Amino acid sequence: MSSGAPATVGIFEIAKRLPAMAPDLYGMAKNVTGLLQNPDSKDSLGLVFQRAAHSRPDRPFIRFEGKSISYGDSNATVNRYASVLTDRGVTRGDVVGVLMNNRPETLFVILATVKLGATAGLLNHNQRGDVLAHSIGLLKSGVLVVGEECTEALESLETAADGVLAAEELDRLAADADDSDPAVCSDITGREKAFLIFTSGTTGMPKASVMSHMRWLKGMSGLGGLGIRLHGEDALYCCLPLYHNNAVTVALSAVLGSRSTFALGTKFSASGFWDDANLNKATAIIYIGELCRYLLNQEPKPDDNENNIRLAVGNGLRPEIWDEFKERFGISRIVEFYGASEANIAFVNALNVDKTAGVSPLPFAVVEYDDETGKAKRGENGRLKKVGKGKVGLLLAKVTDRSPFDGYTDDDASEAKLVRDGFKDGDVWFDTGDLVRKQGWMHIAFVDRLGDTFRWKGENVATTEVEGALGSEAAISQAVVFGVEIEGADGKAGMAAVTLNEGKSFDGKEVAAHLYDQLPKYAVPLFVRVVDSLEQTSTFKSRKVELRKQGYSPDAEGELYVLAGRDKGYVESYDGYVDEVAAAKAPRG
């Protein structure tokens, strides 16, 4: 199995993939103009859906649990929902909160909201108590649509939420409502807000980022039209939560742009994933984070590659499992992309090059950064400096009228993400907070979140690289890596929390040998804690805050091992080890 992403992408690798793209070139050319979207043009998500419904009324729009709902019927239901919301006082510019699980009605509420020129505030139905109250407070919504399945979440609030409308009541009222297209739908411009999407909350309280109609439309053209390139007969299987951008922007825009089918799953299940995808006649899937590794961790079956999936789109497929994932499940094209809810840029692997996040036609820069502050580094002249091809740096995206930063609901948080006067007076750049490798030919590979990367023995350690090496060890199921401080030692020492595959035990000597073979010696973690489970967000992002707080405390959960060198490997933790590291008597990488 190959491991890391290639440092560079060459012209030969690109050229040999161009012939396979020939059938899609005409459609791709039509989508290029979509990237030049004028923010004042009267175009929007609701109008795209409406046009699709009028042009292909009988084609399946949603497949859910094996049943289909046509574009025409879906549009009629959406319009009836919009009528009810209008009766509840929802007008252009308002916010409608949505607290529902994955089901067709959730999509209908979202589409009804944006058709009215209102903003859909997509709440995480896994949140409870103060966190959910914080998120609802950020929305300032007049109406909050709540599914019956989310009653427990609502009841966890100390103070009752305002404007609650039960989804079942909305559906009942809609039965006799007007099903004609709302007139306002044709007037909505690209500048207006389509969604408020919450960050996953791996640290601190969630923030609500803004997704404008223009950015959604650019996603439809760039990610959907140029990268994913679905055909009308395709069905894209999505079991990711509908409060997440990968579902409502990437997947939905790819489907609507191609007039294809949204195959909706209730939630991710590693054991039931392929059965549900096949039940809904999927020809494509969308993934995020560790989903692909969870699928690979399932017991292999002889028919693993007997499915109709021709492509997989998503972000976070690690290089070390890229080839195995393609081969085991018979997937010919991986459309990896890079993007974030708040970012004004996206990259997509449109050319089917392995182990890359692809290209972006929008202006960006990969620059040197300060290890201490995590900010873009400025030279003596006060300007930023770009890194060379094959090097790792901080990704910045230029902010322009055609590529604006929509920001958060918090103005101070928005301003903190901007870098001004970077290369010349007056220019503005969005700081992604991500480290990427500049591969050349406008390609990048994601390396790590800057906040997760730590420095040890004068070297930067990318947690994703170490997690990948641990994950490829036979006994280890999942791994989370972070840096911990040791008094008297410079930088932060590497520490991992891992879970084991069923029936496997932790062999410290074997694990250490594997890591020394896979990683630079300074990146081999000094501490490994074996735990029963690792807490994650609903979009498979690890919660590292508590793990960092616990550090190498002997009282924390799990069994703690320490690195005793290449020959001895990991041994059970013992008193005095930390002092030995500080005095350089124990392995320091």
Side-chain angles (χ1 to χ4, degrees):
M1 186 191 307
S2 54
S3 54
T8 60
V9 172
I11 185 61
F12 174 73
E13 195 167 14
I14 292 174
K16 71 181 182 180
R17 284 166 169 77
L18 292 178
M21 296 172 56
D24 295 332
L25 289 179
Y26 175 71
M28 292 174 69
K30 289 198 303 182
N31 277 283
V32 170
T33 56
L35 296 173
L36 305 175
Q37 180 78 21
N38 187 321
D40 294 315
S41 65
K42 293 183 177 181
D43 206 356
S44 65
L45 159 56
L47 196 58
V48 168
F49 168 68
Q50 191 168 287
R51 288 169 179 158
H54 287 297
S55 65
R56 298 288 188 274
D58 298 325
R59 180 173 290 175
F61 168 51
I62 295 177
R63 284 203 191 102
F64 181 70
E65 298 180 343
K67 298 178 181 178
S68 296
I69 307 173
S70 70
Y71 270 90
D73 288 344
S74 296
N75 188 52
T77 300
V78 167
N79 290 343
R80 287 195 290 266
Y81 278 22
S83 295
V84 176
L85 292 175
T86 299
D87 291 342
R88 286 293 179 115
V90 175
T91 60
R92 189 173 179 177
D94 288 342
V95 175
V96 174
V98 183
L99 183 60
M100 300 172 68
N101 286 5
N102 278 21
R103 49 188 173 108
E105 294 82 2
T106 310
L107 265 180
F108 295 156
V109 173
I110 293 169
L111 290 168
T113 299
V114 297
K115 267 199 169 197
L116 292 174
T119 304
L122 306 180
L123 292 161
N124 181 337
H125 53 69
N126 297 290
Q127 292 178 354
R128 297 291 186 274
D130 292 344
V131 178
L132 179 59
H134 168 83
S135 297
I136 291 174
L138 289 180
L139 293 183
K140 298 182 175 64
S141 59
V143 174
L144 173 60
V145 181
V146 180
E148 185 178 28
E149 69 278 10
C150 294
T151 302
E152 180 195 344
L154 201 64
E155 290 175 345
S156 73
L157 299 175
E158 195 169 296
T159 304
D162 296 327
V164 173
L165 172 59
E168 290 66 32
E169 175 69 1
L170 169 61
D171 196 59
R172 186 187 67 78
L173 294 171
D176 300 319
D178 182 11
D179 66 357
S180 58
D181 295 324
V184 69
C185 185
S186 300
D187 291 329
I188 300 162
T189 68
R191 283 192 192 277
E192 296 177 57
K193 299 173 184 176
F195 306 132
L196 291 177
I197 299 211
F198 288 87
T199 59
S200 57
T202 52
T203 59
M205 284 292 193
K207 297 191 291 289
S209 62
V210 177
M211 171 60 68
S212 68
H213 286 276
M214 184 179 72
R215 279 183 59 214
W216 188 94
L217 290 164
K218 285 188 174 183
M220 183 178 70
S221 296
L223 293 177
L226 295 177
I228 303 170
R229 307 195 296 273
L230 296 179
H231 304 147
E233 64 276 12
D234 278 321
L236 176 60
Y237 179 66
C238 176
C239 59
L240 304 176
L242 289 172
Y243 57 72
H244 194 272
N245 242 336
N246 276 32
V248 293
T249 295
V250 180
L252 184 58
S253 71
V255 165
L256 292 181
S258 58
R259 311 294 201 258
S260 54
T261 300
F262 197 107
L264 180 63
T266 54
K267 62 181 180 179
F268 172 68
S269 164
S271 60
F273 182 90
W274 297 109
D275 287 341
D276 198 38
N278 290 334
L279 176 66
N280 290 296
K281 302 178 182 179
T283 59
I285 60 173
I286 186 165
Y287 61 85
I288 190 172
E290 290 293 274
L291 185 152
C292 299
R293 190 185 294 279
Y294 296 155
L295 293 175
L296 283 173
N297 283 345
Q298 294 294 295
E299 193 68 29
K301 299 176 182 177
D303 60 351
D304 272 342
N305 61 3
E306 293 179 10
N307 57 63
N308 296 314
I309 307 302
R310 65 182 185 87
L311 69 89
V313 56
N315 58 333
L317 177 56
R318 291 183 175 173
E320 71 274 6
I321 64 170
W322 186 292
D323 295 333
E324 183 184 0
F325 187 74
K326 286 182 71 173
E327 291 164 11
R328 175 170 164 181
F329 299 115
I331 298 172
S332 60
R333 191 157 71 92
I334 302 290
V335 189
E336 175 81 1
F337 70 88
Y338 167 88
S341 297
E342 66 271 39
N344 64 330
I345 196 169
F347 292 75
V348 62
N349 184 20
L351 305 177
N352 198 22
V353 177
D354 287 333
K355 303 173 186 178
T356 179
V359 300
S360 177
L362 300 172
F364 68 91
V366 184
V367 303
E368 295 181 356
Y369 63 97
D370 188 296
D371 294 315
E372 297 296 324
T373 66
K375 300 296 184 183
K377 184 187 294 185
R378 294 183 184 266
E380 293 181 359
N381 62 355
R383 302 304 190 194
L384 307 178
K385 184 178 179 181
K386 297 179 181 179
V387 303
K389 183 178 178 181
K391 302 298 183 181
V392 172
L394 174 63
L395 176 64
L396 303 179
K398 193 168 187 180
V399 178
T400 67
D401 285 342
R402 292 191 179 274
S403 185
F405 169 49
D406 296 322
Y408 306 103
T409 53
D410 183 327
D411 290 340
D412 290 338
S414 298
E415 181 60 31
K417 295 292 288 184
L418 297 178
V419 177
R420 298 185 181 275
D421 306 320
F423 297 99
K424 62 181 181 180
D425 290 344
D427 65 355
V428 183
W429 300 80
F430 170 71
D431 180 349
T432 67
D434 289 331
L435 298 180
V436 301
R437 188 176 302 279
K438 186 177 179 180
Q439 294 176 301
W441 293 95
M442 297 188 294
H443 282 70
I444 64 163
F446 176 78
V447 174
D448 208 2
R449 290 289 302 173
L450 189 55
D452 288 342
T453 294
F454 58 91
R455 195 166 179 83
W456 183 243
K457 291 197 70 177
E459 299 284 355
N460 291 321
V461 180
T463 60
T464 53
E465 182 182 7
V466 184
E467 287 167 355
L470 280 162
S472 63
E473 208 283 326
I476 294 175
S477 172
Q478 293 176 256
V480 173
V481 175
F482 45 94
V484 290
E485 292 184 355
I486 292 179
E487 188 175 352
D490 294 330
K492 292 184 178 181
M495 181 168 185
V498 304
T499 60
L500 302 179
N501 287 312
E502 188 174 354
K504 298 289 186 179
S505 60
F506 184 81
D507 185 327
K509 191 170 183 179
E510 184 178 300
V511 171
H514 175 79
L515 293 180
Y516 274 112
D517 285 344
Q518 295 283 319
L519 299 168
K521 64 179 183 179
Y522 61 79
V524 177
L526 268 63
F527 305 91
V528 174
R529 188 184 299 282
V530 179
V531 296
D532 292 333
S533 62
L534 290 169
E535 185 182 3
Q536 293 187 317
T537 71
S538 56
T539 51
F540 312 117
K541 294 180 180 178
S542 300
R543 297 192 189 276
K544 297 186 180 183
V545 177
E546 287 304 315
L547 293 171
R548 284 197 189 102
K549 288 180 180 177
Q550 293 172 1
Y552 44 82
S553 168
D555 300 326
E557 176 191 353
E559 301 171 32
L560 182 63
Y561 295 85
V562 296
L563 185 65
R566 183 186 289 265
D567 294 332
K568 292 182 179 179
Y570 289 101
V571 300
E572 290 186 9
S573 179
Y574 56 87
D575 292 341
Y577 177 78
V578 173
D579 294 331
E580 291 178 10
V581 172
K585 294 178 181 179
R588 297 190 61 178

